[in-house]
Structure formats: C-alpha cells, structure tokens
Amino acid sequence: MCLAVPGRVTEVSERDGTRMAVMDFGGVVKDVCLEYLPDLGVGEYAIVHVGFALQRLDEESARRTLQLFEELGLLQEEFGDPWEAAGAAEEAGR
Amino acid sequence: MKYLEEFQNPELAAGLLADIRATVTRPWALMEVCGGQTHSIIRHAIDQLLPDEVELIHGPGCPVCVTPLEVIDRALAIAARPEVVFCSFGDMLRVPGTDRDLFRVRGEGGDVRVVYSPLDALRIARENPDREVVFFGIGFETTAPPNAMAVHVARKQGLRNFSMLVSHVRVPPAIEAIMNSPDCRVQGFLAAGHVCSVMGTDEYPALAERHRVPIVVTGFEPLDILEGIRRTVRQLERGEHTVDNAYPRAVRPEGNPAARAMLEDVFEVTDRAWRGIGVIPQSGWRLSPRYRDHDAEHRFDVSGITTREPAQCRSGEVLQGLLKPHECEAFGTTCTPRTPLGATMVSSEGACAAYYLYRRLGVPAAPQEASPVG
Amino acid sequence: MADTETLTGADARAAAAPDLSGWSCPLPLRDHPRVVMGHGGGGAMSAELVENLFAPAFGGPALAGLGDSAVLDLGGARLAFSTDSYVVRPLFFPGGSIGDLAVNGTVNDLAMSGARPAYLSCGFILEEGVEMAVVDRVARALGAAARAAGVEVATGDTKVVESGHGDGIYLNTAGIGLVPAGVDIRPQRAAPGDVVIVSGAIGLHGVAIMSVREGLEFGVEIQSDCAPLGGLVEAMLAVTPDLHVLRDPTRGGLAAALNEIAAAAGVGVVISERAVPVPPQVANACAVLGLDPMYVANEGKLVAFVPRREADAVLDAMRAHPLGAGAAVIGECVTEHPGMVVARTGFGGTRVVDLPMGEQLPRIC
C-alpha cells in the first residue's frame, strides 16, 4: 500500500504515448511513469510507488521538517535528556 | 538515498522522544493505519523507544491482510488456468486461500509471475498475445492510480488479452468502521502518508470531528513516525481532535488531482468485505462499467468456489485492535508464520507475525496496555 | 548436502509419492504435496525438505552434520566433500556467470570446513536447443574461475534434456579438499562469547542478479561479489586453527546463515545493525523493492564465529587479504535466547531476525 521512495528525475521522454522518466534513487536507476505528474522536470524529486511518480517531493518542506527535529534535539540537550536517563535506568535494571 | 536517509537518523530521534515523554501525562492508544508504517515500527523497533503510556495498535492497513478470502480464492482459480499468466505484487504470493496459495498454484504448473509494477503486466500482455494476462489489482489508494493507469492504457491500446482482478480498499471508511466498533480503544490515528499523497486530506476532517479523534498524516521513516506520534499525543493531551499533516514534504491538501481524476474514471465505489472484519460499506473500489472488458471477474467464470475461513482464525479482531495476537488460542500453536491460519500471520507487517517474533524473545512487543479511557 | 535446489523436468516427474506413514515429523511437508519454489530458497522450507524427506530416506552420520560440506575420515586423511547445483537465471549477470558460481560455490563450501579445495567434478545438464556459443562461454568462465581458485576439474558428465524443461543450462559441481589437523570448523562449535565477523559488505550478489531479472530491471553499479574464499580462510587459519564456525551466506543471506548456526549450536546471536556493512546502492535497491539486505544472497563473503581471545588477530589477518578488506565485527554469541538471532537497531531497540520462509519477494506494502 505504501512502500514509496523519493527519486530524482534525470531524463524525461514519451514512450508509446505515455510520459515516462528515468529516475535515480541514490544510484539505483529505474524507469518511472510520469502521467500523474506530467510537468515534473529533470532535477526534481518525487515519491515513487510501483513504478509511478505519485507526488512531488517538496525539498524546502523536507529541510524545514529536519530543522524542526534538530531544534527539538537542541531543546532537550539544553534542558536535560529524560529519554537517555530513562534508557540508562532500564539498562541498569536489565 | 536523499530525502530518505535523513529521516532515519537516530541522532534526531532523541529530541522527538524527549518531547513525547515531556508531553505525555496519561496512557493513550494510537493506531497506525498503514501496513508500511507497521513494518517500519517493527523493523526499527520504534515501539520499544516510546514511553509506556503510549501504546501503538497496529491497524488493518495491509492489503495482504484484508483482501477478502473470496477474492484470494478467485485469484487462485484464475491463476490455475492454463491459458492465464497471473501477475501479482510479491506481497500476495503467500497469502493463504481456503486450501492453497499462489506459490502452490505455481508449483502445480500455474504461470504466476511477480511484478514490480502493473506496467510490467501490460508489457507481458503485449509480448504474449496468445495468453490471457491477468493482473491482481489490490491495495489502498496509493496503489489504485498505478493500477488504474494499466487498465486505462490497456483499453486505449486495445490490449484485449489484459484484464485485472480488482480488490481495492479505502482508508476513511475503515477508520469509520473501527471507531464505530463498540470495543474500540483507539484514541488517535496516524493516517497513511502515501494514501494522502494521492487523495489529499479532505476526507479526514469529518471523521476527526464526528469521532473526536486527532488524525495526523504520518510518513514511514522512523523519524516521520515519531513525529506523527508526537503530534498526536500533543493533541490528545490538549483535548484537540483535528487533522494535522506531519508529512508535508509528500502530502498536499489537494493530493494529486490527475490521479484522483483517473480514479474517478476507472473505478467506482463499492461495498467491500475486509478479511476478518466483514463488509464495510463503500469501502472499496471496483472497475467501472466502462472497463468491463478488462475486468477479470467478468472475463473468467470462477463460480463453484467454496470459501471457508479456518474457524480458529481471529485475524479480524486483531486487525481492529480488539485482540492482541498472543490472546488468540491458535497463536503460536496451530498458527505460526510457517503454518499461518490467517493473513495477519503471513504478512511481514501483520500484527500476529510481529508478535510471534517478539514473543519468542520474551520482549514485550508493545508497552503496557493503556488503561481504559475514563 | 545441506541445502537443496528445486528439481525439474524428468527428475521431478520420476519422483514417486513418499510414504508418509513412517514420518516422525510430518509437519509441514504434508501441507505441500508438490514441490514449490520455496523448497529451493535456502530458508525454513528447504531445511524441512532435507530433514523430513531426504535425511530419513538416505541420510547417515555424515549427512547429519548438515554443514556446508561433510568432513570425512578416509584412509587416515580428513577430507571435506561438498556438492551444489546451480540453476540461476540469467546465466550471465553483472560480475559473473553460472560458470563462476559453479566453481566458487563449491570451493567456498569446502573452505567453510577449513579445507583447502583441491578437485571438482562438474555435471552439465543442457536444454536441447541451447546455443553452443552459450555453452562455450559458460565453460570458459568455469575454467577461468577454477584456475583463479586454484582447483582442477577432474571429472564430469553431460546430459541433454528436452527443450522447455530448463533455463538452458543447469550445473552441478562437487568438490574435495583436505582439512588440516587440529581444525574442527562446524556450526555446532559456536559458543557464547564468540565474536561474529563478516568478511565484507553484504547484498551485492543478490542485488546484481535482481537488477537484470525480468520485471525488476534497474540500473545499478553493482557487481556480484562471486569469489573463491580458500585463500582468505587460509590466512585466517594461519592466525589460529581454532576457528569455530565459518559460513558463506548465500541464499537467504546473512539472516539464514546466522539462524542456522544459532540453531545448530543452541546459542543466541546478537548483532548490531549499524555494524553490518551494506553498500549504499544495495541499501537503496532494497529500499526501492522493499527488501531487507540481511536476506540478500552473497557469493564471495563469509561469516566467522571466532573465540574472543583470537578475534582481533583474525580480523587483522582478514583485512590484510584482498577479499577481507572490508571485514567487520558485527556481533557476538550469547547464552540468552538460544537458537535465535537478535539485532539491535540503529535506534537502540531490538528486533528478531528470523529465518527466511522462502524466497524474499519485492513488496509494495
């Protein structure tokens, strides 16, 4: 249902009247159907499921999300790490 | 892989977990809907990191688990026919029907082929004009647009020897059914991120309002799941029940309009039986009449199939979060991953298979039960 | 013979129905009146076919060891003896061919007993109609691999089957080699406290094969790691003869190998996921297809269970050898959870790494 991975478009073409792309997934290259994202261009990223690009990946949004995670991390560093303390307590009790 | 690995970084988990621990004051039961999310949770052992108050109930978001037994039996009957090349995603090969599975059919001479994409099945149809090529079109809304495209292209190109056996299911009616169940313990949902990539989020606010549950659209990598949990717990602690998008890099409110348009054309909503749960109204898609020529249900007469679920199997209750796998009498005795009675033991993200592994280790597969709400 | 490949063609048809009345452990073979692909997958179903059908039918004490190769006492010599059949499709793949596999697979089985591989037999089963040029290419690859491995093909056989019953060419090789004195390497010797070492990055062979398999095809700069490990094992034995277990993680991958060892020795195995070397392109190919690198086949790697006091020296010796440059400690043997393999995930949690059921298949979910 849900296994989809982010890939980058390296080539776009028409094949038998179907819009197709060659996409790169960290060095793994695969043909992907672009009919649902026809204006996706070379260099852009999309989420790909069973050989179809289903949604653009918003790179700026990804960066913002990671930044949020980093900020949460800084907060917990500043104010102490309850998780690590709990984890250490669990380990000691094992 | 860019935009994947960053969301698997354990160093960023600490901050998310600390926020969850600092926020939670009482037990909460959350359900992740999508099997892919369940798989990720088990794979990375994320549930072991959560504070005891947060319980994850694994939902029925696994097409392997919920495809009706009748459909499996129909698929097996079609696949066994000598003129048929039966193409399927790998997930379905070991799902038990009444008396066998697709692997057994292949062993008995059936031409059963695993494909990565429905387009591969189209290609096989083009290359084998003298064979009947049937594609097993299962899945949730994420897989429906790819499957729809295959049928659409087949019709457009007059590929007469291609047909699809369709059994699609939809998430919102499943959430509705779960919440309407009298013993429902679920207090918040992690909605399926890639389903929402296709469908958008407009089907969920009514559900959140009607049942007063927070619904947080969640991704699949460990950090995405922790973030979805974090936001859901926050809402619960504040008494909120809204729809929130915790996967904005891949989900827009409108979803993918081109995909939704194709779904409108190729499929029509239908009542659908969910294996182990029963019929959930309007919860499925079947091919619309326009595509009848490519509908395997019409092309192949597969009457005379007797469908019978093992009496002991309680997958349905597990799927709804009403029963923990180890509470089932068959668990670990007559029902094991090697000898599964139902789909929740077959599937790699089925709750029963997951519990089976952890139980042998003696590690609790989930934190302590959330105490009854009230 | 510890593993099994699916028989086809005349062989399968000739097999009579087994008499089930005398079986002591009928589950779950009674659920499979016919052979299915999973019986050749190297996982739980293969093991059951061997233990419940083959071993009772013709097994003796030597077979009972169920190691990669049998170590036999013959006329005062300790001989390792192994066989394997090769049914891979496609015949040629990035980094090798069925000819390379046929040599290195058996050579490695012998090496995993600590033997120096010496001689091979080779049986060809050819499909009527296969191009002679293809047979020639495979034969030459086999010859080159034998020379590289330092072994000689001493005897062989050729059969032709009717068209349509095979994938062109099936190979069987059997091999012998001498096991040095003082060397006792077999899965049962794994002991709590042992250090688990893998000789390099995993998943290369399986991904290389998948990348050219119909229906999956993808582009990737991955080559099979198919290689003969006799020299690497010699280098390790030069440090100490007291290696406990060696295993090449072929079908079923590292997961199958570790589970088989844990079960044979009645020990638990704990590994650290972050310590297992996985090349980025293997990880990414697995991510696209929904596979777990732990279950992907390797053809030029070994996993070793080494007594703790020798581990550092053995690791150094491995890293000094070209085929062990990427060697890494990945875990240890414990007394807890005997027979079970557990992995500590990158997030600090614990997951069980179970024996694969049959073939690992791409998934969408």
Side-chain angles (χ1 to χ4, degrees):
Chain A
M1 157 184 178
C2 293
L3 180 70
V5 286
R8 183 174 54 87
V9 177
T10 60
E11 268 174 55
V12 178
S13 64
E14 287 272 324
R15 242 174 280 170
D16 299 323
T18 304
R19 194 157 174 83
M20 297 290 292
V22 176
M23 290 187 69
D24 184 295
F25 303 86
V28 176
V29 174
K30 199 127 177 51
D31 287 342
V32 173
C33 179
L34 231 46
E35 282 291 314
Y36 292 129
L37 289 175
D39 56 347
L40 195 70
V42 172
E44 289 196 85
Y45 284 83
I47 301 287
V48 175
H49 175 69
V50 303
F52 283 76
L54 292 183
Q55 186 54 267
R56 239 183 202 81
L57 187 134
D58 184 336
E59 297 186 66
E60 184 49 43
S61 176
R63 275 190 279 274
R64 272 201 305 271
T65 300
L66 288 169
Q67 196 174 350
L68 164 70
F69 296 164
E70 277 167 26
E71 281 163 13
L72 282 171
L74 291 171
L75 275 174
Q76 66 91 15
E77 263 177 38
E78 225 180 288
F79 292 106
D81 191 343
W83 173 64
E84 254 177 23
E90 266 179 314
E91 273 297 322
R94 238 190 265 281
Chain B
M1 201 185 301
K2 196 162 188 218
Y3 299 122
L4 192 78
E5 271 145 30
E6 303 91 326
F7 296 90
Q8 299 172 343
N9 181 359
E11 287 168 30
L12 293 179
L16 290 164
L17 283 160
D19 192 83
I20 294 170
R21 281 182 187 269
T23 308
V24 74
T25 66
R26 49 181 292 195
W28 298 112
L30 277 50
M31 174 177 277
E32 88 279 3
V33 180
C34 179
Q37 291 163 337
T38 309
H39 187 99
S40 189
I41 288 164
I42 295 166
R43 171 78 179 72
H44 300 282
I46 293 167
D47 52 343
Q48 294 169 21
L49 310 176
L50 298 170
D52 290 344
E53 293 91 333
V54 180
E55 179 194 356
L56 292 177
I57 299 176
H58 304 316
C62 163
V64 175
C65 297
V66 303
T67 302
L69 185 57
E70 308 78 59
V71 173
I72 303 286
D73 284 345
R74 205 166 293 144
L76 296 169
I78 293 172
R81 295 167 78 117
E83 73 275 21
V84 168
V85 178
F86 194 84
C87 300
S88 173
F89 299 122
D91 314 55
M92 301 307 290
L93 274 260
R94 276 191 211 101
V95 178
T98 293
D99 61 2
R100 54 187 174 159
D101 56 36
L102 282 169
F103 254 125
R104 171 96 60 98
V105 169
R106 186 155 80 176
E108 290 168 358
D111 192 341
V112 177
R113 304 192 198 180
V114 172
V115 294
Y116 162 72
S117 167
L119 295 181
D120 298 322
L122 272 184
R123 185 180 40 79
I124 290 172
R126 276 188 210 106
E127 291 170 359
N128 295 274
D130 55 330
R131 307 287 299 284
E132 279 287 329
V133 176
V134 180
F135 180 71
F136 201 3
I138 55 96
F140 279 77
E141 295 96 317
T142 322
T143 319
N147 292 346
M149 180 65 69
V151 185
H152 179 84
V153 167
R155 180 165 169 268
K156 197 166 75 168
Q157 297 183 349
L159 207 55
R160 300 179 58 81
N161 63 326
F162 178 87
S163 63
M164 190 173 294
L165 181 66
V166 173
S167 181
H168 274 294
V169 281
R170 300 172 54 222
V171 170
I175 291 179
E176 176 83 29
I178 286 164
M179 292 310 298
N180 285 336
S181 175
D183 304 309
C184 173
R185 293 193 304 112
V186 179
Q187 296 160 302
F189 282 94
L190 306 182
H194 292 143
V195 165
C196 294
S197 296
V198 171
M199 300 300 292
T201 54
D202 57 26
E203 296 176 292
Y204 296 90
L207 282 170
E209 189 52 47
R210 184 155 61 247
H211 299 288
R212 303 183 71 77
V213 278
I215 300 178
V216 176
V217 180
T218 302
F220 299 82
E221 300 312 314
L223 296 183
D224 293 315
I225 292 172
L226 287 173
E227 173 66 353
I229 293 170
R230 186 185 77 89
R231 295 202 198 186
T232 310
V233 167
R234 244 171 209 273
Q235 283 204 41
L236 288 168
E237 289 286 338
R238 290 174 176 169
E240 293 166 6
H241 49 272
T242 63
V243 177
D244 185 18
N245 182 1
Y247 193 31
R249 67 185 186 274
V251 174
R252 290 139 205 258
E254 71 277 13
N256 183 318
R260 295 180 76 170
M262 179 66 79
L263 294 174
E264 286 284 314
D265 175 47
V266 174
F267 294 122
E268 58 182 21
V269 174
T270 180
D271 295 343
R272 182 69 76 191
W274 292 51
R275 189 169 182 175
I277 296 177
V279 175
I280 301 180
Q282 308 277 287
S283 66
W285 277 318
R286 62 173 174 221
L287 284 173
S288 64
R290 207 167 13 259
Y291 290 87
R292 191 192 166 97
D293 285 347
H294 297 278
D295 189 338
E297 284 204 39
H298 292 289
R299 184 170 294 199
F300 299 97
D301 172 21
V302 282
S303 51
I305 297 172
T306 316
T307 287
R308 190 184 61 250
E309 198 72 84
Q312 277 191 300
C313 180
R314 300 177 70 182
S315 282
E317 293 167 81
V318 172
L319 284 169
Q320 296 176 71
L322 304 174
L323 184 75
K324 289 267 184 278
H326 60 272
E327 293 166 356
C328 169
E329 307 76 46
F331 179 79
T333 55
T334 48
C335 187
T336 68
R338 206 168 291 179
T339 56
L341 292 183
T344 47
M345 187 60 92
V346 167
S347 167
S348 64
E349 64 243 13
C352 297
Y355 267 68
Y356 185 82
L357 291 180
Y358 285 111
R359 185 180 187 233
R360 291 194 297 138
L361 180 63
V363 170
Q368 285 157 21
E369 300 268 343
S371 52
V373 176
Chain C
M1 171 183 65
D3 49 16
T4 182
E5 305 273 357
T6 308
L7 298 175
T8 62
D11 295 330
R13 285 193 301 282
D19 171 19
L20 305 184
S21 57
W23 282 13
S24 56
C25 180
L27 271 183
L29 273 186
R30 69 170 175 214
D31 291 340
H32 289 283
R34 290 173 185 267
V35 171
V36 295
M37 287 306 291
H39 288 120
M45 292 176 72
S46 297
E48 277 154 12
L49 185 62
V50 171
E51 287 170 41
N52 294 328
L53 195 151
F54 291 135
F58 54 71
L63 196 64
L66 291 177
D68 276 338
S69 56
V71 177
L72 312 163
D73 288 305
L74 195 64
R78 285 177 71 220
L79 209 61
F81 182 31
S82 180
T83 187
D84 219 334
S85 299
Y86 301 91
V87 298
V88 70
R89 188 218 294 206
L91 298 176
F92 304 96
F93 46 84
S97 72
I98 193 175
D100 302 89
L101 287 181
V103 167
N104 293 327
T106 295
V107 159
N108 292 344
D109 279 349
L110 295 172
M112 295 307 113
S113 291
R116 176 182 290 193
Y119 294 100
L120 297 183
S121 70
C122 180
F124 275 76
I125 298 178
L126 304 172
E127 183 181 313
E128 183 187 17
V130 165
E131 289 177 32
M132 210 57 81
V134 170
V135 180
D136 183 61
R137 209 172 140 198
V138 168
R140 284 175 189 277
L142 197 152
R147 283 186 292 280
V151 297
E152 187 182 329
V153 178
T155 182
D157 179 68
T158 306
K159 289 289 181 296
V160 179
V161 292
E162 289 164 31
S163 189
H165 291 168
D167 292 341
I169 299 181
Y170 290 151
L171 290 182
N172 170 274
T173 53
I176 54 175
L178 285 171
V179 180
V183 170
D184 180 19
I185 300 176
R186 50 193 167 86
Q188 294 80 5
R189 289 210 64 211
D194 282 357
V195 172
V196 182
I197 299 174
V198 72
S199 63
I202 62 167
L204 292 163
H205 178 76
V207 168
I209 293 277
M210 272 185 278
S211 72
V212 293
R213 177 159 282 158
E214 188 212 33
L216 297 182
E217 297 105 346
F218 52 90
V220 69
E221 282 166 24
I222 293 267
Q223 306 236 307
S224 168
D225 60 345
C226 187
L229 296 170
L232 176 63
V233 172
E234 267 192 66
M236 294 164 71
L237 284 171
V239 172
T240 173
D242 191 29
L243 301 175
H244 288 172
V245 188
L246 294 175
R247 177 75 125 218
D248 57 338
T250 53
R251 281 161 325 164
L254 197 55
L258 293 175
N259 270 282
E260 284 159 12
I261 295 165
V267 296
V269 176
V270 177
I271 63 170
S272 166
E273 274 191 8
R274 300 177 88 170
V276 178
V278 181
Q281 289 202 10
V282 167
N284 292 337
C286 288
V288 171
L289 296 173
L291 304 174
D292 185 339
M294 292 284 296
Y295 294 88
V296 177
N298 309 272
E299 291 288 343
K301 298 292 180 311
L302 61 80
V303 63
F305 282 57
V306 179
R308 188 166 288 270
R309 67 187 179 280
E310 310 278 11
D312 285 340
V314 170
L315 187 64
D316 287 342
M318 293 173 78
R319 286 178 172 162
H321 188 280
L323 290 175
V329 172
I330 63 168
E332 60 177 350
C333 213
V334 295
T335 51
E336 292 89 344
H337 48 79
M340 191 176 297
V341 179
V342 161
R344 190 155 289 280
T345 73
F347 288 82
T350 302
R351 68 157 177 144
V352 176
V353 181
D354 212 11
L355 192 67
M357 266 301 304
E359 303 173 61
Q360 198 188 184
L361 296 168
R363 60 185 177 91
I364 66 152
C365 193

